[in-house]
């Protein structure tokens, strides 16, 4: 790897992120809405909720099954609102939060090679001294680093605001739990690599940014399924689940990386983009 050239690609693509208004808008509105407004809003709603308003036996039965399956004996001694907040922070919110890095990484990576074609800069890159592999590494790293930074900022703001709400209201709920640290430092980097690799492969094959975005949207569907599955009580995403998912994605990444690097000749990239 030629580090100076890779860093040059990262710098060029970073500048491009701020110049493309629709791209920048997506990278702002998605984290603000899904990474801040919804988590903090739901946490505040649960804290202020009057338990007497929840009289639906199906809802209460679902909550009891959640607690019986996931909660420790200490959690069972908490008040109703505290139990509800504990469940939200440790299960639905985990999956909801994952949508932020997946969507932002998809937006950046899907735009990578397509934008070069749309702006007629691909030819210059192909005739420059940089190898296709270094070009690929640069676009891969900017996608992962930007998305991880956005996710980390969202997490830190959530950490501050939600813990402030918990403290002000005297709740005995701790945030974040162990599975959040597993998510942030194990699953998230691996998941971002998976997302970036898939979207970079898509970006090298399509002709327009709209096509790339339409195809990359498929990646979001499994996470929507995870949210629905947790809300319906079909399964629960605990620490073991996150570790096993990380291992599975790591194996997938090895295959995807080999596939992506095998693509890497100038003729192949030129033909795929010019067709």
């Amino acid at each position: 790897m030629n580090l100076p050239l890779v860093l040059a690609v990262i710098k060029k693509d970073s500048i491009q992120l701020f110049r493309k208004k629709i791209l920048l808008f997506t990278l702002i509105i998605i984290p603000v809405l899904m990474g801040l407004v919804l988590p903090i809003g739901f946490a505040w709603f649960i804290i202020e909720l009057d338990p007497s308003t929840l009289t639906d036996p199906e809802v209460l039965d679902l909550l009891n099954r959640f607690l019986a399956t996931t909660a420790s004996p200490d959690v069972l001694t908490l008040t109703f609102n505290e139990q509800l907040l504990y469940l939200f922070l440790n299960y639905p919110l985990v999956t909801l939060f994952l949508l932020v890095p997946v969507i932002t990484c998809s937006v950046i990576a899907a735009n990578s090679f397509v934008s070069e074609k749309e702006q007629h800069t691909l030819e210059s890159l192909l005739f420059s001294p940089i190898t296709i592999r270094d070009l690929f590494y640069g676009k891969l790293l900017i996608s992962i680093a930007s998305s991880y930074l956005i996710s980390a900022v969202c997490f830190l703001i959530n950490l501050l605001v939600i813990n402030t709400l918990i403290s002000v209201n005297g709740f005995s709920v701790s945030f974040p739990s162990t599975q959040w640290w597993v998510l942030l430092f194990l699953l998230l980097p691996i998941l971002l690599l998976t997302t970036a690799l898939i979207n970079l492969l898509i970006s090298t094959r399509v002709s327009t940014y709209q096509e790339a975005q339409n195809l990359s949207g498929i990646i979001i569907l499994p996470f929507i399924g995870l949210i629905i599955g947790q809300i319906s009580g079909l399964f629960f995403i605990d620490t073991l689940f996150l570790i096993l998912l990380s291992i599975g994605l790591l194996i997938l990444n090895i295959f995807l990386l080999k596939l992506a690097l095998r693509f890497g000749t100038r003729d192949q990239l030129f033909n795929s983009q010019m067709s």
Side-chain angles (χ1 to χ4, degrees):
M1 180 191 295
N2 189 322
L3 187 58
L5 290 178
V6 171
L7 292 176
V9 173
I10 292 174
K11 181 180 178 180
K12 180 186 76 68
D13 282 16
S14 299
I15 295 172
Q16 184 177 306
L17 289 179
F18 290 95
R19 288 180 176 173
K20 200 163 186 177
K21 292 182 179 179
I22 187 170
L23 194 64
L24 187 60
F25 177 78
T26 304
L27 293 177
I28 293 174
I29 195 66
I30 292 297
V32 169
L33 178 61
M34 305 191 70
L36 296 175
V37 174
L38 288 179
I40 294 172
F42 274 118
W44 176 82
F45 173 78
I46 291 171
I47 289 173
E48 297 296 326
L49 178 67
D50 182 359
S52 62
T53 60
L54 286 179
T55 57
D56 189 332
E58 292 186 3
V59 174
L60 295 175
D61 179 63
L62 179 60
L63 291 175
N64 288 332
R65 284 195 289 117
F66 261 111
L67 291 169
T69 306
T70 64
S72 64
D74 293 338
V75 175
L76 298 177
T77 64
L78 300 176
T79 65
F80 179 81
N81 292 66
E82 290 174 326
Q83 291 176 345
L84 199 59
L85 183 62
Y86 165 84
L87 291 175
F88 171 70
L89 293 178
N90 289 287
Y91 296 97
L93 182 57
V94 169
T95 315
L96 179 64
F97 182 82
L98 283 175
L99 287 175
V100 174
V102 169
I103 293 175
T104 54
C105 188
S106 295
V107 168
I108 297 170
N111 179 67
S112 56
F113 284 101
V114 168
S115 65
E116 303 291 355
K117 177 183 178 180
E118 292 180 335
Q119 297 172 16
H120 305 289
T121 55
L122 179 64
E123 296 89 338
S124 300
L125 284 174
L126 291 177
F127 286 105
S128 69
I130 189 171
T131 65
I132 298 301
R133 179 168 293 201
D134 286 341
L135 176 63
F136 184 85
Y137 282 146
K139 291 184 177 295
L140 186 67
L141 289 173
I142 184 62
S143 303
I144 294 173
S146 300
S147 304
Y148 195 94
L149 179 61
I150 291 170
S151 303
V153 170
C154 288
F155 173 76
L156 290 174
I157 295 175
N158 276 310
L159 183 67
L160 177 62
V161 176
I162 291 176
N163 276 319
T164 299
L165 289 172
I166 290 172
S167 177
V168 168
N169 290 274
F171 275 32
S172 300
V173 178
S174 60
F175 176 74
S177 61
T178 302
Q179 63 194 55
W180 275 96
W181 300 122
V182 173
L183 182 148
L184 288 168
F185 296 109
L186 178 63
L187 175 61
L188 187 53
I190 296 174
L191 176 62
L192 286 175
L193 178 57
T194 307
T195 305
L197 285 169
I198 292 173
N199 280 281
L200 282 174
L201 286 169
I202 291 173
S203 187
T204 59
R205 300 286 183 172
V206 299
S207 302
T208 66
Y209 176 66
Q210 189 62 46
E211 286 182 89
Q213 282 297 95
N214 290 340
L215 289 173
S216 66
I218 299 174
I219 301 175
I220 302 172
L221 294 179
F223 295 93
I224 296 176
L226 289 177
I227 294 175
I228 295 173
Q230 287 200 99
I231 293 175
S232 63
L234 292 177
F235 54 83
F236 308 100
I237 296 181
D238 55 11
T239 302
L240 178 60
F241 180 92
L242 296 178
I243 293 174
L244 293 176
L245 180 59
S246 300
I247 295 172
L249 289 176
L250 187 59
I251 295 172
L252 176 61
N253 285 343
I254 296 172
F255 168 76
L256 289 174
L257 189 58
K258 287 183 178 179
L259 180 64
L261 294 178
R262 190 180 302 163
F263 185 80
T265 68
R266 277 177 162 75
D267 289 340
Q268 286 173 317
L269 184 57
F270 184 85
N271 291 333
S272 69
Q273 292 296 290
M274 296 301 106
S275 58

